[in-house]
Amino acid sequence: MHHASIKTADIHRAVAFYEQLGFTVQTRFTAGITLACWMEGLGGRIELMQVPQPRPALDAFTDEHYTGYYHLSFDLTDQIKSLPDWLSTLQ
């Protein structure tokens, strides 16, 4: 995977979440009025973009205020010993 691009309503919460998965911020930037960053971890890269005034969208491909993604999957098998123990640290 080269990267996954994820639109978020709160980039600071998203960064904190992906840091818990082992990602680190590589570059912070803006795209117009949008805060954004590149993060690397688990052998891949993600681009987080904060969406000003987010709202639910009927068609995510045509609505620039859409946030989220369909799904993203990481294999943590080599990163953690116990999935239940690791999940409990996120709470």
Side-chain angles (χ1 to χ4, degrees), residues 17-40:
F17 172 78
Y18 286 102
E19 285 176 336
Q20 289 291 314
L21 292 178
F23 283 81
T24 57
V25 174
Q26 300 300 308
T27 307
R28 296 176 192 269
F29 60 97
T30 58
I33 61 170
T34 301
L35 299 175
C37 71
W38 284 104
M39 298 186 79
E40 292 184 358

Side-chain angles (χ1 to χ4, degrees), residues 1 6 32 57 80-81 86 91:
M1 165 177 93
I6 303 164
I80 59 173
K81 293 180 181 177
W86 180 79
Q91 297 177 1

Side-chain angles (χ1 to χ4, degrees), residues 3 27 52-53 61-62 73 79 82 86 90:
H3 79 275
T27 307
Q53 302 172 342
F61 290 105
T62 61
S73 176
Q79 307 295 319
S82 166
W86 180 79
L90 296 178

Side-chain angles (χ1 to χ4, degrees), residues 58-78:
L58 295 177
D59 184 354
F61 290 105
T62 61
D63 189 335
E64 64 186 19
H65 296 278
Y66 166 78
T67 59
Y69 49 84
Y70 179 60
H71 80 267
L72 191 58
S73 176
F74 298 103
D75 183 355
L76 300 175
T77 305
D78 295 334

